[in-house]
Amino acid sequence: MSTTTHHPAPTSLRAQAYESFQQQIVDANIRPGQFISQRELMQLLGMPLGAVRELIPRLEAEGLLKTVPQRGLQVAHVDLKLINNAFQLRRLLEREAASRFVTTVSDRDLAAIEQAHLDIVRRARKTAIDDNLLKDATAVDWGLHDLMIDALGNELISEVYRINSLRVRLIKLEGSTLSPEVLIPAMEEHLWFIDALKRRDPQAVVDRLSHHIESAHRRVLGLPRPDMPWSLEKLL
């Protein structure tokens, strides 16, 4: 019998650099349209120059970065076309994911998801909404969307969704992100959606998710949020 221990392969430096780039977008340390040199990017990501140089072609292929002669690297610029395309792709992927998720997610998991959202709302109503609360709320918000996509079990879809999520995050940095004014309405929309999941109502799940994504899309465009015939009060 072999006693050899098999260890997982270490994550490549390029993969680590990519993960760091993603986190910098999440943390708003990389802004849409920003120009940055290779060395500045190396310092920001905390990675060696070789790994950063290997990373750049991937970011260019994904439309997150482009090389501008004599000016350096430019983070994706946000314009109306990018906004509309990114939200259309998000809507297509998430509607498919939600229609499957409603039949596969357990009651126990749904209860935990709902409680995480309610905890955020209660914190927001009791204390001042600070950066820590916004960070926790953002993790709960995106966590549900990511969970639904990953529940499809399709790595290709998950990868496309992850890339598009970075575009959406850049768009929100340019327009509006999860702010004190947006936090409770966003959680309210999620809880309205979770209510449909709990009732195992596929049509309501898809309709309410579409409403939530449209609300985010309109907020970025500076348009009024669509009306929602539902209130948090019955849950709090």
Side-chain angles (χ1 to χ4, degrees), residues 17-18 21-22 41 45 52 54-66 166:
Y18 185 76
F21 185 86
Q22 290 179 303
L41 187 58
L45 301 184
V52 170
E54 289 183 4
L55 171 66
I56 290 170
R58 177 178 179 179
L59 296 177
E60 288 182 316
E62 294 177 355
L64 297 171
L65 202 67
K66 69 176 180 179
L166 293 177

Side-chain angles (χ1 to χ4, degrees), residues 69-126:
Q70 299 181 347
R71 295 205 63 183
L73 305 169
Q74 184 180 27
V75 180
H77 176 70
V78 171
D79 56 19
L80 184 60
K81 180 178 180 180
L82 176 63
I83 292 171
N84 290 337
N85 287 349
F87 274 95
Q88 181 181 30
L89 179 56
R90 181 182 176 187
R91 188 177 297 108
L92 288 171
L93 295 177
E94 290 198 36
R95 281 169 62 95
E96 172 66 17
S99 67
R100 302 281 188 89
F101 193 67
V102 67
T103 65
T104 60
V105 64
S106 69
D107 291 342
R108 181 178 180 180
D109 286 344
L110 278 178
I113 291 167
E114 181 180 58
Q115 190 58 54
H117 284 75
L118 289 172
D119 288 345
I120 292 294
V121 173
R122 291 187 178 112
R123 285 172 60 190
R125 289 188 169 184
K126 287 182 179 180

Side-chain angles (χ1 to χ4, degrees), residues 1-226:
M1 174 184 292
S2 173
T3 58
T4 302
T5 301
H6 295 281
H7 298 285
T11 305
S12 70
L13 287 178
R14 183 174 64 174
Q16 291 178 41
Y18 185 76
E19 291 174 2
S20 181
F21 185 86
Q22 290 179 303
Q23 191 59 47
Q24 297 308 316
I25 290 179
V26 171
D27 293 341
N29 293 327
I30 292 178
R31 310 290 301 188
Q34 174 185 351
F35 281 95
I36 189 169
S37 70
Q38 287 189 15
R39 291 198 174 275
E40 288 171 336
L41 187 58
M42 175 188 73
Q43 294 170 356
L44 184 63
L45 301 184
M47 300 298 298
L49 186 58
V52 170
R53 285 175 172 165
E54 289 183 4
L55 171 66
I56 290 170
R58 177 178 179 179
L59 296 177
E60 288 182 316
E62 294 177 355
L64 297 171
L65 202 67
K66 69 176 180 179
T67 300
V68 179
Q70 299 181 347
R71 295 205 63 183
L73 305 169
Q74 184 180 27
V75 180
H77 176 70
V78 171
D79 56 19
L80 184 60
K81 180 178 180 180
L82 176 63
I83 292 171
N84 290 337
N85 287 349
F87 274 95
Q88 181 181 30
L89 179 56
R90 181 182 176 187
R91 188 177 297 108
L92 288 171
L93 295 177
E94 290 198 36
R95 281 169 62 95
E96 172 66 17
S99 67
R100 302 281 188 89
F101 193 67
V102 67
T103 65
T104 60
V105 64
S106 69
D107 291 342
R108 181 178 180 180
D109 286 344
L110 278 178
I113 291 167
E114 181 180 58
Q115 190 58 54
H117 284 75
L118 289 172
D119 288 345
I120 292 294
V121 173
R122 291 187 178 112
R123 285 172 60 190
R125 289 188 169 184
K126 287 182 179 180
T127 61
I129 299 177
D130 57 15
D131 288 343
N132 287 333
L133 179 53
L134 288 173
K135 183 176 181 179
D136 291 344
T138 299
V140 169
D141 185 334
W142 281 95
L144 175 56
H145 294 281
D146 291 344
L147 179 63
M148 289 193 300
I149 290 291
D150 289 341
L152 288 171
N154 186 316
E155 293 180 358
L156 295 178
I157 291 177
S158 290
E159 180 65 14
V160 169
Y161 182 78
R162 291 288 183 273
I163 296 168
N164 197 57
S165 289
L166 293 177
R167 298 189 189 104
V168 171
R169 287 174 185 267
L170 282 173
I171 288 166
K172 288 188 174 185
L173 290 176
E174 184 70 11
S176 64
T177 186
L178 196 57
S179 64
E181 297 75 21
V182 172
L183 189 153
I184 290 180
M187 292 293 106
E188 186 176 38
E189 289 175 359
H190 266 223
L191 285 161
W192 187 46
F193 170 65
I194 292 166
D195 176 69
L197 286 171
K198 290 169 62 180
R199 292 190 288 106
R200 308 294 177 175
D201 185 337
Q203 188 58 54
V205 162
V206 171
D207 289 346
R208 292 180 183 188
L209 176 69
S210 297
H211 182 286
H212 176 57
I213 295 174
E214 178 63 17
S215 179
H217 190 179
R218 290 173 65 86
R219 188 166 66 245
V220 166
L221 294 174
L223 299 174
R225 174 190 178 211

